[in-house]
Each structure stands twice: as structure tokens, then as C-alpha cells.
Amino acid sequence: MTATVRLDKTLEEKLDFISQSLHKKKSDIIRDAISFYADSIENSQKSRILKAVAKTKDADKAENSEFEGTLDDGL
């Protein structure tokens, strides 16, 4: 696929600098940036899911402890 991207002067200069510094084509830099951005979003989503799972486990553990405490009440 071919995509056309419009860059302002600042982004164009940054892309030129990165391209020259890494001795890579501008198109390679753009592909790498998109891939990095997508991976970053995916990792962020995974992190939020793992935090939610941990929070749920902690809540379940607390609920279970409370329940077991009622069993030991001698009722």
C-alpha cells in the first residue's frame, strides 16, 4: 500500500534528522514509528487488563477471607 502523508516543517525536519542519523529511508522510519506506536497501544491495553485482573483477584481474596471468617464464628 502506498500512503501519502503531509508533514509540517518541524516534523519534516525531525524526519530528515532521524533518517540521516540512522542512515535509513524516510519510509522505513515512518513504518517503524507506526509499528512502535501500535505496539505501545497494545502494551498499554494489556497493562490495564492485567491491573484490572489483579484488582479483581484482590477483591475476591478479601471477599473470600470475609466469608471464611463468618464460618469460624461458631454459628
Side-chain angles (χ1 to χ4, degrees), residues 1 13 17 21 31 33 36 39 41 44 51 53-54 66 69 75:
M1 172 185 138
E13 289 171 356
F17 176 78
S21 297
R31 278 192 290 274
F36 177 81
D39 290 346
I41 290 170
S44 174
K51 286 179 184 176
V53 168
E66 184 179 318
L75 296 176

Side-chain angles (χ1 to χ4, degrees), residues 7 9-34 36:
L7 303 175
K9 189 70 175 165
T10 303
L11 283 178
E12 181 183 8
E13 289 171 356
K14 288 180 182 184
L15 181 58
D16 286 339
F17 176 78
I18 294 168
S19 177
Q20 291 171 8
S21 297
L22 299 178
H23 305 288
K24 293 175 90 172
K25 294 178 184 178
K26 292 176 186 179
S27 57
D28 291 336
I29 303 295
I30 293 168
R31 278 192 290 274
D32 289 347
I34 292 169
F36 177 81

Side-chain angles (χ1 to χ4, degrees), residues 57-69:
K57 283 182 179 180
D58 290 343
D60 286 349
K61 186 177 179 181
E63 184 73 24
N64 186 44
S65 293
E66 184 179 318
F67 177 73
E68 287 181 353

